[in-house]
Amino acid sequence: MKVLVAVKRTIDPNVKVRVKSDGSGVETANVKMAMNPFCEIAVEEAVRMKEAGHAEEVIAVSAGADKAQETLRTALAMGADRAVHIVTEAELQPLAVARLLKVVADEEQPGLVIMGKQAIDDDSNQTGQMLAALLGWPQATFASEIVFKDGTADVTREIDGGLETLNVNLPAVVTTDLRLNEPRYASLPNIMKAKKKPIVRREADSLGVDVSPRLAIHKVEEPPKREAGIKVADVAELVAKLRDDAKVIG
Ligand code: AMP
């Protein structure tokens, strides 16, 4: 089967995110960008599926401006076979991305779409669920283990109360959680090899999809600054502070 893996270019998770002074969003100009960490986990899992003989081909797909190519090259260097770049300068919200990914899924007919559970920039956690609904395929979100069995997949999910295992028919959409795997670093020879792997460019406008925004951001602001802690001399002082200053005990 083919595995389609959706990857998003986001602010590098090691960079301190700064809110724009007008509160309209976060600063992305001159900021180091990288593949969304949950998408790295998705690429790693897809490549492992190929290495284990469950998948014949891994296709990476990303929607976004020209620079999304860099993210696709990273996916190719990690072991994806080829890539599709849906080119658009438009700001894409989850429904728009899900619609664009559906077009690619309809064309490629993968046995599995694997993607991040959320993008760390907007933290939407919506695209996988919406894509599964649009395709009419089963979905298993927040996966921490995927085991293939007789043309189906057992997916262990991280849920509030612990772990849940679902058996889904294929094709399906799976979204990745942190504990699924530890993504590999692309080696230099693989980075070089990835330069020769094909990236097909598709103009989003030519795919007949409505990508207009459905959500409006009213304001983005920094969380309140945490105040410095203090040291207390003994339990009596702690109790007094909790009662008189913090007023959390009677
Ligand atoms: P979100 O619903 O925005 O939190 O994103 C969840 C997942 O959807 C990401 O981890 C990606 O796998 C996928 N995704 C979101 N935006 C894009 C995009 N522009 N191109 C490709 N995949 C995307």
Side-chain angles (χ1 to χ4, degrees):
M1 70 171 181
K2 288 185 195 174
V3 176
L4 190 65
V5 44
V7 294
K8 184 176 188 187
R9 183 169 183 265
T10 57
I11 293 180
D12 185 299
N14 301 311
V15 167
K16 178 162 171 20
V17 175
R18 286 184 208 289
V19 174
K20 282 187 188 163
S21 52
D22 64 0
S24 63
V26 298
E27 202 56 75
T28 52
N30 301 318
V31 172
K32 186 164 182 268
M33 305 292 277
M35 187 189 295
N36 178 45
F38 292 104
C39 300
E40 281 185 337
I41 295 172
V43 175
E44 175 66 35
E45 197 65 16
V47 172
R48 289 188 192 186
M49 286 172 196
K50 189 176 168 190
E51 288 168 349
H54 297 304
E56 278 96 54
E57 193 179 28
V58 175
I59 306 148
V61 53
S62 190
D66 277 341
K67 291 264 170 100
Q69 274 222 21
E70 290 171 10
T71 309
L72 289 170
R73 284 280 168 224
T74 305
L76 294 171
M78 287 173 73
D81 297 289
R82 61 186 170 90
V84 179
H85 179 192
I86 305 170
V87 186
T88 174
E89 292 291 332
E91 183 227 308
L92 296 174
Q93 293 181 351
L95 181 59
V97 177
R99 286 177 168 160
L100 293 168
L101 293 177
K102 178 179 185 299
V103 174
V104 179
D106 285 342
E107 287 176 4
E108 297 284 355
Q109 299 283 315
L112 185 77
V113 178
I114 187 162
M115 47 208 290
K117 74 166 180 181
Q118 76 197 61
I120 59 156
D121 47 8
D122 54 22
D123 276 339
S124 294
N125 180 357
Q126 294 173 10
T127 311
Q129 294 88 330
M130 287 179 174
L131 176 63
L134 292 174
L135 287 165
W137 292 1
Q139 60 175 285
T141 50
F142 319 139
S144 62
E145 191 180 16
I146 306 170
V147 179
F148 290 102
K149 217 169 61 186
D150 310 326
T152 69
D154 278 344
V155 183
T156 303
R157 309 182 54 230
E158 305 219 356
I159 58 170
D160 283 350
L163 297 175
E164 173 189 66
T165 304
L166 294 181
N167 179 256
V168 290
N169 288 329
L170 300 177
V173 176
V174 172
T175 73
T176 60
D177 214 323
L178 215 53
R179 273 167 280 268
L180 183 59
N181 61 49
E182 273 197 33
R184 70 195 67 189
Y185 288 105
S187 66
L188 193 57
N190 285 343
I191 293 172
M192 300 311 286
K193 263 193 233 159
K195 294 191 185 200
K196 299 211 181 81
K197 293 184 181 176
I199 300 181
V200 171
R201 276 172 70 95
R202 306 284 305 272
E203 295 298 328
D205 291 347
S206 70
L207 300 183
V209 167
D210 174 10
V211 296
S212 54
R214 300 301 169 97
L215 308 166
I217 294 174
H218 289 279
K219 197 169 175 208
V220 176
E221 49 187 301
E222 298 255 6
K225 289 236 175 331
R226 280 184 67 176
E227 285 176 26
I230 52 163
K231 276 192 179 167
V232 290
D234 51 29
V235 172
E237 192 190 344
L238 173 66
V239 170
K241 291 234 175 267
L242 291 174
R243 186 186 55 228
D244 304 334
D245 297 351
K247 297 192 172 36
V248 290
I249 55 173

